Amino acid sequence: ATPCPLLIAIPVAIIGAISLSARRGIIIKDPAVLERIDTARVAIFDKTGTLTYGRPVVTELLVAPGFDPDTVLTLVASLERYSKHPLAAAVMDAAEEAGVTLLEASEISELPGQGMRGTIGGQAVRITSRKVTLEEKPPGAEHLPPSVEGMEAVILIDGRYAATFRFRDKPRYEGVPFIQHLGPKHRFERVMLVSGDRESEVRYLADHVGIDEVYASQTPEQKLELVRKVTERTPTIFVGDGINDAPALTAATVGIAFGRGGDIPAEAAGAVVLESSLQKVDELLHIGRRMRTIALQSAVGGMALSFLGMLVAAAGYLPPIAGAIVQEVIDVVVVLNALRVGIPPETLTDY
């Protein structure tokens, strides 16, 4: 007997799965993802750009007394054009619609979970959150509007509260059936939503798609710690698309990044979905399960047939030359079976 069913069939199955994934717009960076993904029992999702389209729009700009809306929009857009955060694009769209002229910015910094800072026209501009503003209590904070559902960004100019931007992001149309089918079809025991956004906005989306476990206002460090703790107990997948998701992507059993989120999350993930679509995530789940099934068929079946051939030969019913031919036939059969992984089935989704 030869070890060809193990030495050739399994690598052929893996290469076939990688090839099929690439043709479906999924880049496999770590082949181990294909084996592990079918063992995952906890699915963890980021919110913005993952379960939503990641294209929020500005719905309101509320300025504090003494500040002009156009001036605030100009300063914020001049800073946000250097950011890859999904809300930055919404601010840029609002600035373009308003026809404001952008200014040069300097001393720009954007730390994960800490917002963005910069100097524009000699004025210090800071884009942060309600939570940070309430903790630091800058001058003018008493003019902060009441919290409502939706995303928001708080603007400080020269250390003083200046304005609040409010945004809304649309949930993906396939979000509900996708989340609901993970348990019955893919044996996921828990589905979690982890986001750096406010509780009201995260809860709104969770209720919409049917997720019970919600963790809002999470910093990248908190996301990382949460994913680590869950992964220590149960294999996990984490799906995200932003810079803030990169640490969590590396900590999960399988990290899946949407390619539009930039280079950093793509580098951190084991698989990259080029087209931001939950359908592609489902296709990856099916490709991984199918590869694992066919690879086991080839390995176990090939070894079993080889062992059977050895018994027949040991009983004196299989001459050496015939035995060699039979073994080669077995090797060819198991390799051909492994090649099936690269042939796309009729469908790779089931929701």
Side-chain angles (χ1 to χ4, degrees):
T2 71
C4 286
L6 287 174
L7 296 181
I8 299 178
I10 291 180
V12 166
I14 293 173
I15 292 171
I18 294 173
S19 174
L20 178 58
S21 298
R23 281 178 278 149
R24 302 300 300 174
I26 305 166
I27 304 301
I28 304 299
K29 296 178 57 197
D30 179 5
V33 162
L34 295 166
E35 180 183 358
R36 296 171 183 164
I37 196 166
D38 192 47
T39 67
R41 294 295 172 262
V42 179
I44 308 173
F45 294 89
D46 177 49
K47 183 182 78 67
T48 304
T50 303
L51 293 179
T52 68
Y53 286 103
R55 297 192 294 269
V57 296
V58 177
T59 56
E60 288 184 278
L61 170 52
L62 308 173
V63 297
F67 290 93
D68 175 66
D70 287 341
T71 301
V72 171
L73 181 58
T74 298
L75 294 173
V76 174
S78 298
L79 182 59
E80 287 279 36
R81 64 175 164 173
Y82 298 102
S83 174
K84 290 188 177 182
H85 193 281
L87 296 184
V91 173
M92 297 305 298
D93 290 341
E96 182 178 352
E97 185 177 340
V100 301
T101 302
L102 302 184
L103 306 174
E104 290 297 321
S106 61
E107 301 177 9
I108 301 168
S109 67
E110 185 176 15
L111 298 176
Q114 299 298 316
M116 193 173 188
R117 301 171 184 258
T119 301
I120 299 102
Q123 293 182 287
V125 180
R126 182 182 177 189
I127 305 169
T128 186
S129 65
R130 174 180 293 270
K131 178 181 178 182
V132 172
T133 304
L134 292 175
E135 289 174 354
E136 297 183 0
K137 295 183 173 60
E142 65 274 9
H143 298 295
L144 189 68
S147 177
V148 297
E149 284 189 353
M151 295 174 287
E152 66 178 7
V154 177
I155 312 303
L156 306 180
I157 297 178
D158 291 331
R160 185 177 185 85
Y161 169 72
T164 296
F165 282 77
R166 286 178 175 165
F167 308 84
R168 177 67 79 181
D169 194 4
K170 186 178 180 182
R172 292 184 183 273
Y173 77 91
E174 74 268 40
V176 175
F178 174 78
I179 294 297
Q180 296 302 316
H181 99 295
L182 289 177
K185 299 294 185 179
H186 295 285
R187 297 171 293 172
F188 281 96
E189 299 167 0
R190 297 168 62 190
V191 180
M192 303 165 60
L193 180 57
V194 182
S195 174
D197 294 333
R198 292 183 305 136
E199 175 79 26
S200 60
E201 179 66 12
V202 180
R203 179 61 65 180
Y204 166 81
L205 177 64
D207 292 341
H208 176 78
V209 299
I211 296 178
D212 295 326
E213 288 193 62
V214 177
Y215 297 85
S217 302
Q218 298 289 298
T219 65
E221 293 80 9
Q222 290 172 324
K223 282 186 181 181
L224 173 60
E225 185 62 25
L226 177 63
V227 173
R228 276 179 176 168
K229 286 182 178 179
V230 177
T231 305
E232 286 174 358
R233 297 191 298 269
T234 311
T236 61
I237 66 167
F238 183 91
V239 185
D241 78 329
I243 294 176
N244 291 353
D245 300 324
L249 286 166
T250 63
T253 307
V254 175
I256 304 172
F258 283 177
R260 66 185 296 276
D263 296 337
I264 295 178
E267 285 294 324
V272 180
V273 177
L274 299 181
E275 177 187 338
S276 298
S277 167
L278 293 175
Q279 179 179 326
K280 295 298 179 182
V281 176
D282 192 43
E283 289 182 5
L284 179 57
L285 291 169
H286 283 274
I287 290 172
R289 175 183 294 178
R290 188 165 175 266
M291 186 219 74
R292 186 180 174 89
T293 300
I294 293 177
L296 286 174
Q297 284 176 354
S298 296
V300 176
M303 296 300 289
L305 289 173
S306 296
F307 183 72
L308 180 62
M310 290 173 60
L311 293 179
V312 173
Y317 296 105
L318 195 62
I321 295 178
I325 294 174
V326 169
Q327 183 61 62
E328 293 306 315
V329 170
I330 292 172
D331 293 344
V332 170
V333 169
V334 297
V335 169
L336 289 176
N337 183 63
L339 284 172
R340 291 194 301 120
V341 177
I343 302 174
E346 291 185 6
T347 180
L348 281 170
T349 59
D350 55 2
Y351 71 92

